[in-house]
Amino acid sequence: FFFFFFFFFFDSAVHGLTFNVLKLLMEADPQLFDECSAQSRIDEDAEVAADDTRVQRWQALQDIHDAANNNMSSGA
């Protein structure tokens, strides 16, 4: 989560401040930071997988719709 925002902003001042916050969080509780970072990566991967599944399902529905319309057009 934090890594996304770190690379999202282009302003060097924001980069510096974000890096400082990340450093503080890492130093305050390294184990918690690592656990949260790992969980964030897992969540992001799950979100990407869910998005891929959603796209595939919509494509399958579109294919069914198109096939049904083609059958109706050729049968008429």
Side-chain angles (χ1 to χ4, degrees):
F1 178 74
F2 291 113
F3 297 112
F4 170 76
F5 286 108
F6 180 73
F7 291 110
F8 181 72
F9 292 108
F10 299 108
D11 187 272
S12 61
V14 175
H15 276 285
L17 292 171
T18 305
F19 180 76
N20 289 340
V21 169
L22 283 172
K23 185 177 173 187
L24 286 171
L25 291 171
M26 283 187 272
E27 291 172 351
D29 193 340
Q31 182 179 355
L32 178 62
F33 183 84
D34 290 342
E35 291 171 7
C36 291
S37 295
Q39 186 61 49
S40 177
R41 284 187 213 102
I42 291 168
D43 293 345
E44 288 175 14
D45 291 345
E47 187 176 330
V48 168
D51 287 345
D52 290 345
T53 300
R54 186 172 24 260
V55 167
Q56 290 172 355
R57 287 179 179 169
W58 275 111
Q59 186 59 51
L61 288 172
Q62 184 67 47
D63 294 344
I64 291 168
H65 176 266
D66 292 346
N69 280 344
N70 287 341
N71 287 340
M72 286 183 182
S73 297
S74 63

